[in-house]
Amino acid sequence: MSKQSAVICLDLGGSFIKLGVMNAQGELTLLDQQKIPATSWDEFTALVSRMIAQHHLHFTTSSPVAISTAGIVAPDSGEMFASNIPAFHQRSLAKELGAILQREVIVHNDADCFTLAEALAGAGKGHKVVFGAILGSGVGGGLVADGRIITGQNGLTGEWGHGPITLTEVEIDGVTRRLPRKACPCGQKGCLDSYGGARGLENLHQTLHDRTASSVEIIESWQQQEAQAQQTIQAWLQIVGQPLAYSINITGASRVAVGGGLASVAPLIAALDEVVQGCVLSRTAHRLVVPGEFAHHGGMMGAALLARDLTRRA
């Protein structure tokens, strides 16, 4: 691999730092993974410096660092809002880390990076507007149009998981069931995140059946035609499908690439597509909602593609 055009890639989550490198052909190689020192800036920067130094043979001293991270990056100041990673919460991560590493550092939200990777090289390739729907432990999203990440006010775009939009009634086997609006850690009440991701699916099952089960157990039982799991997934598809259809109507997306753990359950995403197709203003001949092709390292890939584009245009 030519080191001259390499991009150093970092994915920063609440649990781990992943280090990779992208070559000139756009191929991503994962090099390392370490538990993140989530509460200490000094320990965090020391670990990042050490990880890059240990793998220095894969890139040059001028290779930029592209970071995909949980949290919001303020578009004007670069200040991070990442309450689950206090190590760099309310810091200008790109500027401060760049000074320590003596490299150009580019930072962007992980959902946005995933969406960019899918739009340029994955499930959304060839589509003008791509919506990224993250269905992991929670619900997140991103939006790409004409190959560019759309970044709105305060760095927020495509965040369909938050805001009081959750359905309060669902139809299960022809019977209307009422659902309570759950309080959300974001400070609002009734967010889709309460019922939409893997933890939300578990909350929904508990609410409907007063029974505790993991998302994996619920989905496995659903695939085995177990009655309670079937009812839970019926409700989940309505709760998630309708807001996703709104998002498509508003953004004009012709492809939704799904990331996160639930994206790996192909029958579930196919069922979600059927619900969404029934709710959008114009049903399409092709599938609208599909699993993303970069479920594991889409954030890193998107960040590297973004860095490469910004470097080229600089």
Side-chain angles (χ1 to χ4, degrees), residues 2-182:
S2 171
K3 297 194 297 181
Q4 197 61 43
S5 56
V7 177
I8 303 167
C9 312
L10 289 173
D11 182 83
L12 309 179
S15 300
F16 296 99
I17 299 175
K18 296 177 183 178
L19 171 70
V21 61
M22 176 181 278
N23 65 16
Q25 291 72 45
E27 298 165 336
L28 180 68
T29 301
L30 184 64
L31 300 174
D32 201 354
Q33 178 174 300
Q34 301 287 336
K35 186 173 176 59
I36 189 170
T39 60
S40 169
W41 170 252
D42 290 338
E43 291 179 14
F44 164 75
T45 55
L47 178 57
V48 170
S49 299
R50 189 162 61 250
M51 290 173 73
I52 291 175
Q54 287 173 345
H55 297 278
H56 69 278
L57 294 178
H58 292 274
F59 28 78
T60 70
T61 55
S62 62
S63 295
V65 177
I67 297 178
S68 162
T69 181
I72 301 165
V73 186
D76 295 330
S77 66
E79 183 180 5
M80 291 294 310
F81 181 85
S83 56
N84 63 329
I85 313 179
F88 52 78
H89 178 56
Q90 295 184 320
R91 286 182 176 271
S92 179
L93 180 59
K95 181 178 179 180
E96 294 182 53
L97 185 59
I100 292 170
L101 298 176
Q102 291 297 293
R103 296 177 183 273
E104 181 182 11
V105 175
I106 295 164
V107 180
H108 218 91
N109 170 263
D110 52 4
D112 290 340
C113 291
F114 163 80
T115 307
L116 182 66
E118 294 295 339
L120 296 181
K125 189 175 182 180
H127 290 263
K128 180 179 176 66
V129 181
V130 177
F131 189 82
I134 307 301
L135 295 173
S137 57
V139 178
L143 183 66
V144 168
D146 294 321
R148 299 287 177 88
I149 295 172
I150 305 300
T151 302
Q153 181 182 0
N154 297 325
L156 286 169
T157 305
E159 287 295 341
W160 65 303
H162 293 277
I165 61 173
T166 303
L167 292 176
T168 54
E169 292 184 351
V170 292
E171 295 291 326
I172 302 176
D173 294 334
V175 177
T176 301
R177 292 284 303 269
R178 292 193 62 83
L179 297 172
R181 286 184 175 273
K182 302 273 189 179

Side-chain angles (χ1 to χ4, degrees), residues 228-284:
Q228 288 188 342
Q230 290 276 307
Q231 292 176 354
T232 298
I233 296 298
Q234 277 187 54
W236 184 87
L237 289 169
Q238 295 169 62
I239 291 167
V240 175
Q242 291 187 22
L244 189 51
Y246 307 155
S247 301
I248 292 168
N249 287 341
I250 291 168
T251 62
S254 60
R255 175 55 52 86
V256 176
V258 183
L262 296 184
S264 65
V265 187
L268 184 67
I269 304 306
L272 181 59
D273 180 62
E274 278 299 310
V275 171
V276 169
Q277 291 273 15
C279 295
V280 292
L281 290 174
S282 179
R283 190 180 180 98
T284 63

